[in-house]
Amino acid sequence: MMTEFIIVLITAQKEEEAVEIAKDIVAKNLAACVNIVRGVRSIYRWRGKTEDEEEVLMVVKSRRTLFPDLKDIIAAAPETLVIGTGFSGVMKV
């Protein structure tokens, strides 16, 4: 059976929050690695307004089978922390 790997993108408003979430994800073996990228500029619609803010991007390298548990950690984060989540492509190995 082949393993399906995924990349999950999460944005946070502050690096400290991103670090805490990344450590939690890795400690629970829900990802092999989480990269934290500073200085991401996000432009998005929120509550009828266009927002333009600097954020921190987390690149989570995981497996498709772990996504439900990973999603639970993301959902438990403060509303202001998680702006968007999704996964990109599935690579089978």
Side-chain angles (χ1 to χ4, degrees):
M1 177 180 235
M2 291 194 278
T3 302
E4 295 180 323
F5 294 97
I6 60 172
I7 304 261
V8 180
L9 305 175
I10 307 168
T11 55
Q13 291 183 343
K14 297 184 181 191
E15 185 174 1
E16 298 80 25
E17 294 168 320
V19 168
E20 289 305 313
I21 288 178
K23 285 181 178 180
D24 191 29
I25 289 169
V26 172
K28 291 178 177 171
N29 293 317
L30 297 177
C33 176
V34 178
N35 301 114
I36 297 176
V37 183
R38 293 184 213 113
V40 173
R41 184 174 179 183
S42 296
I43 300 170
Y44 56 93
R45 295 284 293 170
W46 182 252
R47 298 186 176 156
K49 290 177 52 186
T50 300
E51 302 289 341
D52 184 346
E53 298 191 15
E54 188 167 308
E55 296 182 308
V56 179
L57 176 67
M58 289 176 273
V59 180
V60 182
K61 300 165 188 172
S62 188
R63 294 188 313 259
R64 188 179 193 90
T65 57
L66 298 176
F67 186 72
D69 293 331
L70 186 57
K71 193 169 77 172
D72 289 343
I73 288 178
I74 297 164
E79 181 182 339
T80 57
L81 173 67
V82 179
I83 303 300
T85 306
F87 62 85
S88 167
V90 176
M91 178 179 65
K92 294 183 180 184
V93 177

